Amino acid sequence: MSVAQIKNLQRRLANLEQEAAEELNRACGHELWQSLGFDAFDSIEDPDRRSRANYYYGQLQTARELKEVVG
């Protein structure tokens, strides 16, 4: 991979991470998920919001793992 491709991938992963964090804030209604992690979603009563939180948490974790590999 070229330096430009790596930089572009890093930027796109940062965008995915930011989007996931914003959606998690919306789904949870707070930012406590950042300190509680996955356990914060158990308290969400609405199944649609809980499902959305689980999806975006997975997206966030994937983006973070890929960022580590890319450097």
Side-chain angles (χ1 to χ4, degrees):
M1 259 186 168
S2 72
V3 173
Q5 288 173 317
I6 291 171
K7 292 290 184 187
N8 189 33
L9 181 57
Q10 289 172 331
R11 181 184 53 77
R12 289 170 39 202
L13 288 171
N15 288 342
L16 285 173
E17 188 175 358
Q18 180 181 351
E19 176 191 11
E22 290 170 2
E23 289 298 326
L24 282 164
N25 288 340
R26 278 191 206 104
C28 294
H30 52 71
E31 295 182 7
L32 289 176
W33 64 268
Q34 293 179 11
S35 59
L36 297 175
F38 192 75
D39 294 332
F41 310 140
D42 291 339
S43 64
I44 300 175
E45 294 180 17
D46 182 352
D48 290 334
R49 285 180 46 217
R50 186 171 46 247
S51 175
R52 195 170 71 225
N54 284 316
Y55 171 79
Y56 280 106
Y57 191 73
Q59 180 177 329
L60 178 68
Q61 292 302 102
T62 301
R64 287 179 175 171
E65 288 174 19
L66 289 171
K67 277 177 60 175
E68 286 180 27
V69 172
V70 173

